[in-house]
Amino acid sequence: MKVFVLLALLVAAAQADVYLHQPRGSNNRLDEANRDRNNANRLFDSQNNNRGGSNVGGIYYYEGSQVHFEWTNQHSCNDDNNHCELIIQYSCESAMRDGSTTRTIPDNPSQCRGFNCETDLKYGMHENFDYYQNCKYRSRNMGLFIADRNLNGKSARFTRQNNGGTRRGYECPEERDYYPYWGPTQWKDVVIMTSDVTRCPYYQNTSQNVQPRFACQVPDPYFQYRKRCGTGGKGYIIPITQEECEMVSWNYNRDARSTVCAKSITAYDPTHPVTGENSSLVLWGQWVEYPSHGIAAPDCQEAPWSRDNHLGNGIGGFPNTYNWTIPSLNHNFCVFRMRYNISTSEIDSWSSTNWTDFNADKPRPGQPTYIPIWDQVRINETTARSRGYVFRQNPVVHMFGDTKNIPLRLAINTNQFSRTFQDRTHTFAVRTRPEELKDTVIHNVQVRGKRGNIVQTYPGVEYDFAPNRLQVAQGEYIHFQWTGSNTNPNNNAGQGKQGTDRHNIVMLEEPRYAEGMLDRTEVYGKFGGSYPQHLSNATFLGLNFTDLDTLALLDTHQFRGEMSELDDAGTYFDMKPKKVTEIGTYHYMCTRNNNFSNRSQKGKIIVGLQSIIYKMIGWNGGDIELTGGTNKLSVPRGTFTQPQNMRLEHWKTTDCQQLLETLGSRIYGEGETASDCLALFPETQLASGEKSVWMTMKLNSNEANGKIRIYQTTTSSANSWTEVTVDNSNAESVTFQAQSGGIYVAKKEPNVALIASITAACAVIGFILLGTIFYFKRYPGKWSKIRTNTAQSLQYTVRSFQSKV
């Protein structure tokens, strides 16, 4: 009988890779001159295609600067087809390194120089030797769902995705596959992007950023004994529960002489037996607390949408991105890690059910599990099992029951429901800022991609600036820096010397005609052009001629040579952060990588007068803070049901007034303007009912006296102003609830009571004066008498004073 293959519509694809493009992901590559990586097990388990990743190249960031992430994930995310998480983490360790060989670091110290693999620098290393040894001999979590997989061991090396316990670097397979992990880890969380944001409170509250972890520490003699002489049938040495941990004991008098094997280990020296008090000494397992990382809880938000079977851009034709302000790390060896987990609707992985109840009775591929597929197809369990509706490896189902004997095989791989993919960067550094860059905003502009056309680089990408579009404020800084490789495949398409990456920046030629652009600033460079502007005529961010020459010819790193296609320059370029001084919209290009038929390496920078910050905010809420932190948007959790791309802008009063005048309006309200303007976009209804977004606005100096009123309008109806209720105000700021986007400004209302009091007092004084004048005009003798008496009194006073002196 033939068995037909039916592709199940709700099945996770086998190759659902994830690739970091900015910062550049390695996918376990080093400097291979071939399209495929040499060793998929070099540092970590990616489960990605062998052709992904960029060759090694160093980069650094200044503390507090903006890091821009771009990636592609092959299967969908935030889509009805599956559930997903995208998790970005970082780690900084002094022993981290890229290495100089593509071989995997040994597990046996005798194979390393000086019998110490951690100091053998030719091997790349992220996690360290002791970390892996602990994983290798630590019990795996026995409460996990393993389906019908026959795991080859009971330690944390063995998982449903890695049932053979294959080693990749010093990574722990169990920690790699599960998040949040229950044991201590060196990885610090940056952000969790999920298709179910109601889980965000759990993720944020249980992250090791803020919560400690606990683990068992067994006595070293016990560990050495079990490692050498066997685990006593357990399959592991280190327990993962407090109860079992505290039952572990080692008694010198009892255990060190118990077997021939025990006597041979280094923990026991038969020439110096333990005697006296120490002969009965018992060492116990300790349940140890590992402190939290002591940093802020990670960000958590809706995952950006992506479609199935497509390593491409997201909504709008732009890469899926995330921006992060790098904290104060001051470290030379750091790595970013991104993990991508997908699961399908057959398995409710967040059920409170004991998952071991769903495992196959005798786990081995093909054995049926107890996942209740029958509930989803709406037939009883007995019928479902008889017709093949069970969760196991490649089941054969009879869709038509007994009426037609047509067996159909489903392409289901049980070690891929759910499944985790991963990419990591090469090492990078984080540096403290020099004094002249303190309290400034620094944006990083780098390069993503590698040499080749779209087919040759796939699943990587071709060259592009990252970010490709950047919006900054006048007075902020941009750090131009990039890296590359000289060992790309020689037959990959591209200009200049074969196998090499090179980049520069020049302004594009001036526009010859209007292109319908909506930019409010002066436009420099024609984005659709292919010729550069002459340096002597170019205007770019307010940089001087020397800086423009440096960006074009890379002359801080290369003096002359054959530079028509930048061949004699190096792969690395760094122009220290430069201050942006001129507003405008700037279009720029790379002269070498602009073969219009194949690739177009261009970028756009918009410089405005004031700070602008974008942020995607969804159900979990979030904040946007402009420079200084006083001007702020706060969205409480649960306010939005769908993610919103929020934008907050700060306009000085004069700029705000000028913009309103172009819209036929002016700043509304009586009294003095008490603040600059804040513009919140989109200008739509953001909340309703009891839900609101909160805005805090900085007040001008000495605006504490007088009542503060807030007024709001929009660019589409600038003549229509609405007063917004003030919630709280002080001498420095005012806080209020905003139901919609728009332009907001504070006005100081004149103090009517004070003015009325002063007016009344002046009226009384005036009345008294008028009455006095009228009285003395009517009785002039009274006025003469008062003058005479007053003069005499003054004379007596003067004489008295003189006599005393």
Side-chain angles (χ1 to χ4, degrees):
M1 182 187 301
K2 286 189 175 181
V3 176
F4 299 95
V5 175
L6 175 68
L7 296 179
L9 294 179
L10 295 179
V11 174
Q15 292 297 324
D17 314 351
V18 64
Y19 300 98
L20 267 172
H21 302 300
Q22 175 60 30
R24 293 150 47 95
S26 73
N27 195 41
N28 270 317
R29 294 183 71 89
L30 183 61
D31 59 352
E32 293 93 317
N34 38 276
R35 292 183 190 170
D36 288 4
R37 61 190 172 188
N38 287 351
N39 182 4
N41 300 335
R42 190 172 78 91
L43 289 166
F44 59 95
D45 180 12
S46 74
Q47 301 204 12
N48 295 333
N49 188 284
N50 282 331
R51 291 196 173 184
S54 297
N55 281 356
V56 66
I59 213 86
Y60 74 94
Y61 299 95
Y62 281 114
E63 294 176 336
S65 66
Q66 303 291 311
V67 180
H68 176 78
F69 291 91
E70 293 183 9
W71 68 89
T72 52
N73 48 277
Q74 187 264 337
H75 211 47
S76 63
C77 201
N78 208 0
D79 185 79
D80 292 338
N81 193 32
N82 68 23
H83 175 82
C84 77
E85 280 90 16
L86 292 156
I87 301 165
I88 298 177
Q89 299 171 297
Y90 72 93
S91 178
C92 298
E93 300 289 339
S94 298
M96 273 185 163
R97 56 183 181 265
D98 299 311
S100 58
T101 177
T102 59
R103 287 183 293 162
T104 305
I105 190 168
D107 185 27
N108 185 348
S110 66
Q111 299 173 2
C112 295
R113 185 176 182 179
F115 295 92
N116 189 339
C117 294
E118 289 194 22
T119 60
D120 194 338
L121 301 183
K122 69 174 176 287
Y123 296 108
M125 188 178 77
H126 290 175
E127 292 89 352
N128 62 36
F129 178 81
D130 288 340
Y131 175 82
Y132 181 73
Q133 293 303 304
N134 185 280
C135 171
K136 183 178 178 179
Y137 294 104
R138 184 175 70 243
S139 170
R140 63 178 172 87
N141 187 334
M142 303 297 180
L144 298 174
F145 176 63
I146 62 172
D148 59 353
R149 313 308 293 184
N150 182 18
L151 275 56
N152 292 345
K154 294 184 178 180
S155 78
R157 287 172 53 203
F158 305 95
T159 68
R160 182 175 49 82
Q161 283 188 243
N162 186 3
N163 58 298
T166 303
R167 183 174 65 85
R168 281 96 174 183
Y170 288 149
E171 179 181 60
C172 182
E174 190 179 64
E175 186 274 338
R176 174 209 176 274
D177 289 359
Y178 295 94
Y179 181 87
Y181 193 58
W182 41 89
T185 173
Q186 70 191 52
W187 296 97
K188 301 174 177 65
D189 299 328
V190 173
V191 61
I192 301 102
M193 293 170 278
T194 174
S195 56
D196 186 353
V197 287
T198 62
R199 298 173 184 173
C200 282
Y202 170 77
Y203 286 140
Q204 292 176 304
N205 293 335
T206 57
S207 165
Q208 198 178 343
N209 286 13
V210 296
Q211 283 292 331
R213 294 293 189 265
F214 291 85
C216 185
Q217 200 171 81
V218 299
D220 187 64
Y222 172 85
F223 180 80
Q224 298 297 337
Y225 165 62
R226 288 299 183 190
K227 183 178 176 182
R228 177 76 65 88
C229 306
T231 63
K234 289 185 175 182
Y236 60 89
I237 299 174
I238 305 171
I240 60 170
T241 66
Q242 182 176 4
E243 180 182 8
E244 188 178 359
C245 175
E246 292 176 347
M247 292 176 63
V248 172
S249 66
W250 173 265
N251 181 285
Y252 282 99
N253 197 35
R254 177 194 66 200
D255 300 318
R257 301 175 176 84
S258 60
T259 64
V260 174
C261 178
K263 295 178 180 179
S264 68
I265 63 176
T266 56
Y268 173 70
D269 183 353
T271 61
H272 296 86
V274 178
T275 58
E277 294 181 1
N278 292 333
S279 63
S280 59
L281 180 64
V282 178
L283 301 178
W284 295 91
Q286 301 291 320
W287 191 244
V288 178
E289 177 178 343
Y290 291 80
S292 71
H293 296 311
I295 57 179
D299 189 13
C300 186
Q301 61 184 41
E302 287 87 348
W305 178 89
S306 59
R307 56 161 286 189
D308 282 302
N309 305 321
H310 177 70
L311 280 170
N313 294 328
I315 295 176
F318 291 96
N320 287 327
T321 64
Y322 179 79
N323 293 321
W324 182 55
T325 301
I326 200 161
S328 299
L329 300 176
N330 189 23
H331 208 289
N332 276 327
F333 302 100
C334 300
V335 169
F336 285 122
R337 169 169 83 159
M338 185 173 203
R339 285 182 292 170
Y340 167 46
N341 174 265
I342 53 172
S343 58
T344 63
S345 60
E346 284 84 6
I347 303 174
D348 179 11
S349 57
W350 285 70
S351 169
S352 60
T353 306
N354 183 354
W355 277 101
T356 57
D357 293 341
F358 291 152
N359 292 328
D361 292 331
K362 296 180 179 179
R364 63 178 182 272
Q367 288 295 304
T369 66
Y370 288 90
I371 294 290
I373 302 297
W374 41 89
D375 289 344
Q376 300 182 37
V377 296
R378 299 181 181 179
I379 55 179
N380 62 59
E381 180 178 354
T382 302
T383 302
R385 289 185 173 277
S386 67
R387 290 171 54 184
Y389 282 89
V390 292
F391 186 72
R392 64 180 175 188
Q393 190 80 5
N394 300 331
V396 176
V397 299
H398 296 263
M399 293 180 62
F400 305 103
D402 297 330
T403 58
K404 294 182 180 180
N405 190 16
I406 303 178
L408 300 171
R409 186 180 299 280
L410 303 182
I412 291 179
N413 191 336
T414 55
N415 73 352
Q416 297 175 5
F417 281 64
S418 307
R419 191 175 183 187
T420 301
F421 301 84
Q422 178 184 198
D423 201 1
R424 299 186 186 184
T425 66
H426 301 287
T427 58
F428 64 91
V430 179
R431 296 179 178 174
T432 57
R433 299 186 181 207
E435 191 61 35
E436 64 271 17
L437 294 177
K438 298 289 186 184
D439 302 319
T440 63
V441 176
I442 301 176
H443 303 270
N444 292 289
V445 173
Q446 299 176 354
V447 172
R448 71 170 196 172
K450 57 185 179 181
R451 184 186 182 95
N453 60 39
I454 192 171
V455 175
Q456 294 164 339
T457 61
Y458 188 85
V461 293
E462 296 178 275
Y463 297 129
D464 202 357
F465 293 104
N468 177 265
R469 284 164 170 76
L470 177 65
Q471 196 154 3
V472 304
Q474 187 180 35
E476 295 178 344
Y477 285 74
I478 297 179
H479 186 187
F480 293 103
Q481 182 190 195
W482 52 76
T483 187
S485 173
N486 282 329
T487 56
N488 292 290
N490 281 332
N491 60 343
N492 276 15
Q495 279 61 54
K497 186 177 179 181
Q498 288 289 308
T500 63
D501 296 320
R502 299 289 187 275
H503 312 277
N504 68 344
I505 287 178
V506 296
M507 278 298 299
L508 280 157
E509 59 183 327
E510 285 302 304
R512 294 188 177 88
Y513 52 85
E515 297 182 336
M517 293 175 288
L518 300 178
D519 302 284
R520 299 200 301 264
T521 59
E522 186 74 23
V523 177
Y524 300 94
K526 177 181 172 61
F527 210 37
S530 296
Y531 285 82
Q533 180 73 285
H534 194 284
L535 281 185
S536 60
N537 300 324
T539 299
F540 185 48
L541 309 174
L543 302 181
N544 59 38
F545 182 86
T546 301
D547 291 335
L548 297 180
D549 184 65
T550 296
L551 286 170
L553 299 177
L554 318 177
D555 62 1
T556 58
H557 301 270
Q558 175 65 32
F559 182 66
R560 299 177 183 168
E562 207 301 287
M563 293 292 289
S564 62
E565 292 187 307
L566 311 176
D567 284 342
D568 284 355
T571 59
Y572 176 75
F573 173 79
D574 174 28
M575 188 168 81
K576 306 300 182 184
K578 296 294 179 180
K579 188 175 184 178
V580 177
T581 59
E582 292 188 14
I583 65 170
T585 298
Y586 300 91
H587 298 118
Y588 60 95
M589 66 178 287
C590 169
T591 57
R592 169 164 150 152
N593 305 315
N594 197 46
N595 183 332
F596 187 73
S597 66
N598 288 328
R599 63 202 62 83
S600 180
Q601 188 179 353
K602 299 177 182 177
K604 177 179 180 179
I605 298 176
I606 301 172
V607 182
L609 286 168
Q610 306 298 337
S611 298
I612 300 175
I613 295 183
Y614 294 83
K615 187 173 183 180
M616 187 68 71
I617 299 179
W619 178 89
N620 197 43
D623 299 331
I624 298 179
E625 291 187 11
L626 294 175
T627 306
T630 305
N631 291 315
K632 180 179 179 180
L633 169 72
S634 295
V635 181
R637 178 178 290 155
T639 302
F640 296 163
T641 57
Q642 297 293 328
Q644 300 251 24
N645 191 8
M646 307 298 296
R647 183 171 98 234
L648 186 63
E649 302 186 15
H650 169 219
W651 301 343
K652 289 183 179 178
T653 305
T654 53
D655 300 327
C656 183
Q657 184 62 61
Q658 289 177 7
L659 176 62
L660 289 171
E661 287 175 359
T662 64
L663 299 173
S665 183
R666 63 180 180 83
I667 294 178
Y668 180 81
E670 298 294 332
E672 300 177 17
T673 301
S675 71
D676 292 338
C677 293
L678 287 183
L680 176 63
F681 299 95
E683 292 182 319
T684 56
Q685 186 79 18
L686 299 174
S688 60
E690 297 180 355
K691 296 181 179 179
S692 298
V693 300
W694 292 84
M695 294 183 68
T696 300
M697 180 183 290
K698 182 179 180 181
L699 296 177
N700 298 335
S701 58
N702 65 25
E703 299 296 348
N705 295 321
K707 184 176 180 179
I708 298 297
R709 293 183 180 273
I710 301 295
Y711 296 95
Q712 180 257 352
T713 189
T714 62
T715 55
S716 59
S717 56
N719 281 313
S720 176
W721 288 83
T722 302
E723 184 173 357
V724 179
T725 304
V726 172
D727 182 74
N728 183 40
S729 66
N730 54 45
E732 296 181 351
S733 65
V734 58
T735 301
F736 54 93
Q737 297 182 53
Q739 296 290 326
S740 61
I743 303 168
Y744 291 85
V745 66
K747 298 296 290 284
K748 183 175 72 171
E749 182 184 83
N751 195 324
V752 178
L754 179 61
I755 293 174
S757 299
I758 294 173
T759 302
C762 290
V764 170
I765 293 171
F767 179 78
I768 293 172
L769 287 174
L770 288 173
T772 303
I773 293 170
F774 177 78
Y775 177 81
F776 285 120
K777 278 189 176 183
R778 187 172 183 181
Y779 303 103
K782 297 283 186 180
W783 174 247
S784 298
K785 185 175 181 180
I786 289 174
R787 289 178 61 190
T788 302
N789 292 339
T790 301
Q792 290 177 350
S793 297
L794 287 172
Q795 289 178 359
Y796 293 150
T797 300
V798 171
R799 288 173 184 171
S800 173
F801 182 72
Q802 289 175 342
S803 64
K804 289 181 180 180
V805 173

